[in-house]
């Protein structure tokens, strides 16, 4: 079983093979963790994002994941995923959030990623309630790790103490 860790800190400082970006479907960069990752990675990252084929639902449709290089970040890859915007929980948000975590890990497996850091996807600008997001994130990661044997370490990188406490509880 892979090691699962919960840390309070900046995802751009994590020394892992891949960091996950809570992106938007256009992969155009933004605020929050998306802004922090693009700032730390440099403009090369945006150039790579723009090369990802665009489609009717954007470069990275909600719930899916796309992988790029990491520019100046201390890791090999950035795995971008677009979380659901929370509209009350009755329009499939839970399944879409779960898909984000699952697809990021399956993509990590495909690229031989051995260590990966996740932010708390959708719990910022996209307004997803933190407690249920933490439960969905941890349950999906534990389930998907069975199909991603290459991944030996998962770090849930929380940026605030509320998320940190929720992830600690969910992992326990
Ligand atoms: N390291 C780790 N976590 C961070 C960092 C950071 N440097 N900066 C912010 N966060 C946390 C936020 O505190 C929040 O808990 O990441 C979590 C996700 O929040 P957002 O970044 O707002 O992402 P999300 O809610 O998924 O909304 C995505 O916001 O920035 C735009 O382009 C992005 O449109 C997309 C939307």
């Amino acid at each position: 079983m892979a090691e699962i860790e919960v840390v309070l800190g900046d995802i751009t400082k994590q020394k892992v093979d891949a960091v996950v970006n809570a992106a938007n479907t256009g992969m155009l960069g933004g605020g929050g963790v998306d802004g922090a990752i693009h700032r730390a990675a440099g403009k090369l990252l945006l150039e790579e994002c723009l090369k990802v084929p665009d489609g009717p639902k954007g470069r990275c449709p909600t719930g899916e994941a796309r992988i790029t290089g990491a520019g100046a970040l201390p890791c090999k890859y950035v795995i971008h995923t677009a979380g659901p915007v929370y509209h009350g929980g009755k329009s499939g948000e839970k399944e879409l959030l779960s898909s984000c975590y699952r697809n990021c890990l399956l993509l990590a497996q495909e690229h031989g990623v051995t260590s990966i850091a996740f932010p708390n996807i959708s719990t910022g600008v996209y307004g997803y309630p933190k407690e249920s997001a933490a439960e969905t994130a941890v349950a999906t990661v534990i389930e998907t790790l069975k199909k991603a044997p290459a991944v030996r370490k998962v770090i849930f990188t929380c940026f605030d103490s509320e998320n940190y406490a929720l992830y600690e509880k969910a992992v326990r």
Side-chain angles (χ1 to χ4, degrees), residues 9-13 21-25 28-37 39 81-84 118-128 130 157-160 163:
D10 184 339
I11 200 165
T12 64
K13 305 277 191 284
N21 181 22
N24 52 56
T25 56
L28 300 171
V33 71
D34 197 3
I37 285 175
R39 271 193 305 280
T81 190
F118 282 99
N120 312 135
I121 299 167
S122 281
T123 67
V125 165
Y126 284 179
Y128 205 110
K130 295 183 177 181
T157 317
C158 304
F159 207 52
D160 59 80
N163 263 316

